[in-house]
Amino acid sequence: MKQLRRNFLKLSGGAGAMAAVAAAGLLKAGSAWAAPWNKGAFESKAVADAQKNLGATSLIESKDIIITAPDIAENGATVPVAVTSKIPNTQSISIIAENNPFPLAATFEIMAGGEGYVSTRIKMGKTSDVRAIVKADGKFYTATKEVKVTVGGCG
Amino acid sequence: MKKMRGIGLVVLSAVAFLAVAPPVMAQGDLSVGRKMLNEDNPGDLWVDIGKELFYQKRGPKKVSLEQCDFGMGPGNLPGAAARMPRYFADTDRVEDMESRLITCMTKLQGFDSNELMKKAISSPRSKGSDIEALALYVTSRSNGMKINVTLSHQKEYDAYKAGEYIFYRRNGQTDFGCVQCHGEPDKRIRLQDLLHMTVKAGAQEVASTWPAYRGAHYVVRTMQWRLNDCVWQMRLPDLKYGTDYSIALTTFLNHRGNDAVMQVPGFKR
Amino acid sequence: MADPMKIRATLQGDTADVRILMRHPMETGTRKTSSGVVPLHFIQSVIVQHNGKTVLDAQWSQAISQNPFLGVRVKGAKSGDKISVTWTDNKGDKRTDEVAVAAGS
Amino acid sequence: MKTTWIKLSVTAVVGLMIAGCATYPDRATTKQMAEKMVFDAFSASPEHMKRLEQDRSQQICSKIGDEKLSQAEAAEIVKLARASIKYPASGKLVGDWKNGDRLAHNGAGDHIRNGKEESRKENGALCQNCHALAPGEINVGNVGPSLTGYGKQRGNSEAIAKYTYEKIYNAWVYFPCSNMPRLGATEHLTPEQIVDVVAFLIDPQSPINK
């Protein structure tokens, strides 16, 4: 039921998306169902708005969230960031680069069978705190790590 | 766990940290990121692209590169790159990976060498050039093997010595030779580490990590690109592709890098 | 159209360590070239499935780096299990690739 | 005369090779081959090709491996460097530290790409590439010594200003064949730019001395 609704939302996302969905056979049983893209959160320019759009009205600081990232990024275009959440029943992990024009970089919904761990690479325009927001049992937890970004080359 | 009052607090503590942080501390702080990037290298995506190009029938003559001899006999790739540059009798010349590919793509497949060279170094953020992908694929077939650039033909000795001469030759607006940046340990241009190439370990890193994925360009680069960029920084004019100058420098460095274990693609900032 | 991914899935105990490399330009829509501004073009959704069951449903912005990497861990995996990954970008392009979980070393 | 000699030595080398005794070419042969490689390797206008030609000082300073500079060579370098130095028309060796700060952090100028010289209003002084500058700056190199607190340690006397000016104009006058580019002598920087960099280094108000 829920899946059907999601699929409907996806289909209503425009003719292009619809054609792609149909061509890819997304309607078949057992294929991948994607949650609708959180436009509000991703298009927020302020960190607070992005948080609100993620549904995180209050944040609890947690030492059970570990952000692995370099202290200094040699290349702001490829900053490796891994987030491990040891909080039981972790449902989602979001990564925010606070000084980016659009701070929210990614949201990972973790289903049963997934571990509270994601690793990816993000673009950072300048030195910034990288914030992880973890949703677990309906509550929102957070941790930050500063990543210094320098311009590369001798240009 | 305690409730956070807001972001202001975090920002404050970050400022406090900055104030007491020691001024320069590159190595330790950079190593976490380098390790993460090296473990999962997007350059790997180009190995398969290179493989496909290698076996595809291409060029005006519609043949694959399977008859290309990289020094171990036609089409025999394992270990071949680990022994290059080397002397090739058919061209009576010492060739590195890039120049050998051009030889084969010209002679076997009928491509125009000038056209190949024009496109050999791709634009940043592009899908990369055929030669970049091919060089990576052929070199990757030596992964896990030891670099073993031997000098036996007279032209190999000549290339080695000429490469050494060029390494130390100062010229241009900066008065630089290669050694001005690569002659001492633990040096950096701004934050970028400079390999110490006059010791074996530094030369070994050169010999075993190219072609490499260049993070800032999002494409695979070969040693020839590295040399082009170096001479650009030295304020020299445009270096032509696949010349004896590049081959000599590569012969000098790779021979001194012998016994390193080939592991490509490397990952470069 | 879309280029194949490179997926590694290795067993560590009963958890599969999954590492995915994708080839995608991840254009921010602000980059200028001689022929004008390159339009926004980025992967919006990545789904990771374990034997057909979704274990990770990711939403991305254009701030994920070009040629993206994603690392995840899947609990309760066995050697030979299927891990499949599907990405979809904002232009509707998509790509699915699948690997079998390899025994750990 | 000269070419005959080289031909002879090449023949000798080929002879050795046939006998199965290929070996390292001698110094003169190496130089001959390598110099040819250098001039064959670049495509550029005659004006840009000139950058590949070594002046006397560059030739002396291109020591291979562990070769050392002789006393006589060092003396010649110092003499050539001394002769190269020109002073600003104003006679003032300490300029505007703010402009010097800007120049010190500018790594551009004199690059050539696709046959074209970088179009810039002025060249940068390149300092940041190789030297630590103001306290706490991260994105700085260490090929050269740290310049943090340069003026604090040395003061800003006339003698220090003159030394600093000459050091930037042609570092080899004090350190023959050091790694530092001869920024004034190669005309990368103008005397007017150099006095601003001198101010950046020695002015007590400059961030480098804070």
Side-chain angles (χ1 to χ4, degrees):
Chain A
M1 201 45 207
K2 198 175 170 194
Q3 283 185 340
L4 266 176
R5 206 177 80 83
R6 279 187 173 179
N7 197 35
F8 177 75
L9 282 168
K10 185 95 196 162
L11 282 167
S12 63
M18 187 150 112
V21 167
L26 243 192
L27 299 170
K28 278 193 308 207
S31 58
W33 305 92
W37 196 68
N38 193 338
K39 193 168 153 62
F42 283 114
E43 291 182 357
S44 296
K45 289 184 178 175
V47 176
D49 292 341
Q51 267 169 229
K52 216 178 295 161
N53 280 306
L54 286 171
T57 42
S58 72
L59 294 175
I60 305 162
E61 214 179 341
S62 171
K63 287 194 168 63
D64 290 325
I65 302 170
I66 298 142
I67 303 175
T68 312
D71 293 341
I72 301 173
E74 287 181 273
N75 168 18
T78 311
V79 183
V81 177
V83 179
T84 307
S85 165
K86 292 179 184 165
I87 303 167
N89 303 321
T90 291
Q91 294 163 280
S92 80
I93 297 174
S94 296
I95 297 173
I96 290 175
E98 295 202 337
N99 288 345
N100 274 8
F102 301 102
L104 179 62
T107 291
F108 301 88
E109 257 188 71
I110 294 155
M111 316 296 182
E115 212 173 87
Y117 164 86
V118 288
S119 177
T120 188
R121 285 155 196 178
I122 64 171
K123 299 170 197 164
M124 288 176 67
K126 50 185 161 189
T127 296
S128 171
D129 272 346
V130 171
R131 175 178 295 279
I133 294 179
V134 169
K135 183 182 179 188
D137 277 338
K139 286 192 188 133
F140 289 89
Y141 302 85
T142 193
T144 58
K145 172 173 173 52
E146 194 200 36
V147 176
K148 294 193 186 74
V149 176
T150 61
V151 272
C154 307
Chain B
M1 285 182 230
K2 67 169 196 287
K3 266 226 172 207
M4 232 187 60
R5 246 165 268 151
I7 296 152
L9 211 128
V10 178
V11 172
L12 255 179
S13 65
V15 169
F17 167 75
L18 264 179
V20 295
V24 173
M25 44 198 164
Q27 205 58 47
D29 302 306
L30 299 173
S31 61
V32 172
R34 283 194 187 147
K35 183 167 174 288
M36 291 171 86
L37 294 171
N38 261 314
E39 277 175 1
D40 298 284
N41 186 341
D44 283 337
L45 291 163
W46 274 264
V47 176
D48 291 341
I49 294 168
K51 183 178 181 180
E52 220 178 293
L53 288 170
F54 189 87
Y55 290 101
Q56 237 171 49
K57 293 183 169 54
R58 302 174 70 232
K61 296 191 187 167
K62 299 244 178 309
V63 291
S64 77
L65 284 171
E66 283 164 282
Q67 287 307 306
C68 183
D69 184 353
F70 290 89
M72 316 277 279
N76 190 9
L77 302 185
R83 301 186 70 121
M84 289 173 76
R86 70 187 291 164
Y87 173 80
F88 291 89
D90 58 351
T91 51
D92 187 30
R93 184 183 177 212
V94 175
E95 291 179 303
D96 59 2
M97 180 54 68
E98 294 91 323
S99 50
R100 189 62 188 165
L101 278 167
I102 287 180
T103 296
C104 287
M105 292 170 83
T106 310
K107 288 194 168 176
L108 296 173
Q109 297 182 308
F111 283 110
D112 178 86
S113 68
N114 286 326
E115 282 301 309
L116 288 175
M117 288 193 265
K118 225 188 286 170
K119 289 185 201 148
I121 297 178
S122 64
S123 332
R125 309 203 58 163
S126 69
K127 290 203 157 194
S129 76
D130 293 353
I131 288 187
E132 284 162 344
L134 283 164
L136 174 60
Y137 169 64
V138 177
T139 309
S140 76
R141 299 294 306 273
S142 291
N143 274 349
M145 298 180 201
K146 281 190 177 171
I147 308 290
N148 182 22
V149 176
T150 53
L151 306 179
S152 56
H153 192 275
Q154 186 55 45
K155 289 197 173 178
E156 292 169 345
Y157 282 99
D158 292 351
Y160 176 88
K161 273 307 220 190
E164 180 186 52
Y165 178 95
I166 293 166
F167 188 84
Y168 290 95
R169 186 185 192 273
R170 303 186 71 166
N171 50 193
Q173 306 301 91
T174 55
D175 292 315
F176 283 170
C178 306
V179 72
Q180 268 58 51
C181 283
H182 298 288
E184 289 173 80
D186 304 321
K187 292 296 180 189
R188 302 185 322 268
I189 289 280
R190 297 198 193 172
L191 264 195
Q192 276 69 65
D193 283 342
L194 299 164
L195 287 177
H196 183 195
M197 296 180 190
T198 51
V199 296
K200 195 170 175 78
Q204 287 186 317
E205 191 159 341
V206 178
S208 60
T209 59
W210 292 98
Y213 183 73
R214 163 87 171 157
H217 291 184
Y218 301 103
V219 287
V220 166
R221 295 301 194 197
T222 71
M223 183 64 176
Q224 177 73 65
W225 168 82
R226 181 58 271 173
L227 294 174
N228 278 49
D229 211 55
C230 282
V231 304
W232 174 77
Q233 286 294 13
M234 292 160 79
R235 271 68 177 176
L236 297 181
D238 299 301
L239 182 58
K240 289 190 273 190
Y241 203 88
T243 63
D244 290 343
Y245 175 98
S246 308
I247 295 166
L249 271 170
T250 308
T251 304
F252 171 63
L253 291 167
N254 286 13
H255 178 66
R256 291 171 73 117
N258 274 348
D259 301 324
V261 176
M262 184 73 86
Q263 199 53 57
V264 297
F267 193 110
K268 314 278 175 181
R269 170 190 71 84
Chain C
M1 249 329 257
D3 298 303
M5 288 177 247
K6 199 141 195 160
I7 310 171
R8 287 186 288 161
T10 321
L11 211 54
Q12 291 173 353
D14 71 339
T15 300
D17 179 44
V18 181
R19 292 154 181 263
I20 308 147
L21 290 164
M22 315 164 198
R23 204 155 81 127
H24 196 283
M26 299 301 286
E27 291 288 354
T28 57
T30 54
R31 187 165 69 98
K32 292 185 189 87
T33 65
S34 49
S35 44
V37 176
V38 184
L40 189 66
H41 186 202
F42 67 104
I43 293 175
Q44 279 187 307
S45 149
V46 186
I47 306 276
V48 180
Q49 294 190 319
H50 173 214
N51 289 338
K53 184 171 134 278
T54 298
V55 287
L56 184 96
D57 182 341
Q59 297 178 28
W60 284 359
S61 81
Q62 62 273 34
I64 298 295
S65 305
Q66 179 169 351
N67 301 325
F69 165 69
L70 173 62
V72 298
R73 288 176 189 150
V74 178
K75 289 185 283 197
K78 296 185 305 295
S79 166
D81 281 4
K82 294 276 179 276
I83 299 287
S84 86
V85 182
T86 301
W87 61 250
T88 310
D89 70 20
N90 67 320
K91 292 185 178 173
D93 258 349
K94 63 192 299 146
R95 171 88 204 179
T96 300
D97 289 279
E98 187 179 83
V99 290
V101 175
S105 47
Chain D
M1 251 323 264
K2 205 172 164 193
T3 41
T4 322
W5 189 86
I6 286 150
K7 265 187 197 150
L8 276 172
S9 71
V10 168
T11 317
V13 161
V14 171
L16 280 172
M17 200 183 75
I18 289 161
C21 296
T23 187
Y24 293 113
D26 64 26
R27 215 186 160 85
T29 312
T30 300
K31 182 173 177 179
Q32 172 85 12
M33 289 185 310
E35 286 292 329
K36 184 174 181 325
M37 285 181 189
V38 169
F39 288 94
D40 286 347
F42 295 85
S43 71
S45 65
E47 189 208 335
H48 285 162
M49 285 301 277
K50 281 203 189 108
R51 293 195 185 182
L52 299 166
E53 288 168 20
Q54 293 179 301
D55 67 16
R56 174 75 186 147
S57 301
Q58 287 174 331
Q59 277 175 26
I60 296 171
C61 290
S62 299
K63 293 289 175 202
I64 293 173
D66 295 330
E67 282 175 1
K68 293 274 176 290
L69 198 63
S70 74
Q71 289 271 331
E73 286 172 327
E76 189 180 349
I77 295 286
V78 170
K79 204 174 131 212
L80 287 166
R82 178 57 64 198
S84 77
I85 299 177
K86 294 188 187 81
Y87 298 89
S90 68
K92 258 185 62 189
L93 295 185
V94 187
D96 171 6
W97 69 259
K98 283 184 185 147
N99 194 43
D101 188 353
R102 200 178 54 80
L103 288 170
H105 290 86
N106 181 349
D110 276 341
H111 288 109
I112 298 171
R113 182 149 279 163
N114 299 327
K116 287 199 195 79
E117 215 164 313
E118 211 176 359
S119 69
R120 301 259 176 185
K121 259 190 267 159
E122 57 176 356
N123 289 339
L126 322 177
C127 313
Q128 178 192 13
N129 290 344
C130 296
H131 299 279
L133 301 175
E137 269 189 74
I138 296 166
N139 195 19
V140 289
N142 68 351
V143 173
S146 165
L147 299 174
T148 309
Y150 181 94
K152 222 182 195 170
Q153 291 152 18
R154 295 170 180 80
N156 58 352
S157 68
E158 217 170 288
I160 287 296
K162 183 163 185 284
Y163 166 80
T164 307
Y165 179 90
E166 290 174 345
K167 177 79 199 295
I168 299 167
Y169 198 98
N170 191 331
W172 297 355
V173 74
Y174 295 110
F175 299 93
C177 300
S178 81
N179 287 338
M180 179 154 160
R182 299 168 294 168
L183 294 165
T186 59
E187 296 180 354
H188 182 81
L189 294 179
T190 65
E192 290 67 31
Q193 287 180 303
I194 297 176
V195 300
D196 289 347
V197 179
V198 171
F200 170 64
L201 288 168
I202 68 173
D203 195 304
Q205 295 308 308
S206 162
I208 216 168
N209 297 316
K210 291 292 172 189

